Amino acid sequence: QKEVEQDPGPLSVPEGAIVSLNCTYSNSAFQYFMWYRQYSRKGPELLMYTYSSGNKEDGRFTAQVDKSSKYISLFIRDSQPSDSATYLCAMSATSGTYKYIFGTGTRLKVLA
Amino acid sequence: EAQVTQNPRYLITVTGKKLTVTCSQNMNHEYMSWYRQDPGLGLRQIYYSMNVEVTDKGDVPEGYKVSRKEKRNFPLILESPSPNQTSLYFCASKEVANTGELFFGEGSRLTVL
């Protein structure tokens, strides 16, 4: 079993839809949770960062962490064609760590 | 502009021909790392460096070497490339004290024939 599981998609939605992206994990030591966005032919860029459980909102994006279920989510409201990208979840266990575990990424396409 | 620069961006080579992929960052970050990205496997860490002259293995170090002689540079060396090293490679850097934000380069697509 992989430490982090992520549905690869692809996920196609119409413009304006609410998108839900998810990852599950098995290591209860993970405390830091991140979502990266990767456009085609580009490197990943940090979108959201959350410590421990709870919600974090940034504009149209909301990150949720449920440590009891070992489940994290990224919600995108009012999705736009410019949100079309691959979304990678990432996790680490300690602050200042060198070790990140990435999900395989979910490919999202928002149709105009 | 803050950035991580990798070269070459695209390379086709043959088995056994030594190659180096360079990585340079201009943010004075202590930490640098190399990842490879393969379909269905995601990003896997090859090597990382916490500072100059300090390097350590990641999850998939076999067939790779690195060096960190200067803070800004972290080259990835393939001494004798093999076809299973065909992949998309990313260099990343961050401040050691910062957990979240890894800054990635734009990637180097390597094909080994």
Side-chain angles (χ1 to χ4, degrees), chain A residues 12-95:
Chain A
S12 292
V13 302
E15 184 176 355
I18 297 174
V19 176
S20 172
L21 304 168
N22 311 295
C23 287
T24 60
Y25 63 95
S26 57
N27 188 345
S28 57
F30 289 144
Q31 296 186 71
Y32 300 87
F33 304 91
M34 292 140 277
W35 287 94
Y36 283 81
R37 178 175 60 196
Q38 184 177 16
Y39 290 115
S40 180
R41 294 187 173 81
K42 297 288 188 182
E45 55 180 350
L46 183 68
L47 194 59
M48 298 287 281
Y49 163 70
T50 311
Y51 169 67
S52 195
S53 284
N55 293 0
K56 185 172 183 178
E57 190 172 320
D58 184 1
R60 296 184 295 110
F61 299 90
T62 300
Q64 282 186 355
V65 175
D66 182 348
K67 289 187 72 180
S68 62
S69 302
K70 297 190 181 67
Y71 188 87
I72 69 169
S73 301
L74 177 70
F75 296 96
I76 308 173
R77 290 184 298 281
D78 188 25
S79 55
Q80 302 295 309
S82 58
D83 295 328
S84 298
T86 296
Y87 290 80
L88 304 160
C89 63
M91 307 175 189
S92 65
T94 56
S95 176

Side-chain angles (χ1 to χ4, degrees), chain B residues 5 9-10 16 18 24 34 39 44 49 76 78 92 96 103-104 107:
Chain B
T5 303
R9 294 287 313 281
Y10 301 92
K18 180 179 177 180
S24 181
W34 277 101
R44 293 180 293 166
S49 169
L76 179 70
L78 285 74
V96 167
F103 290 84
F104 283 86

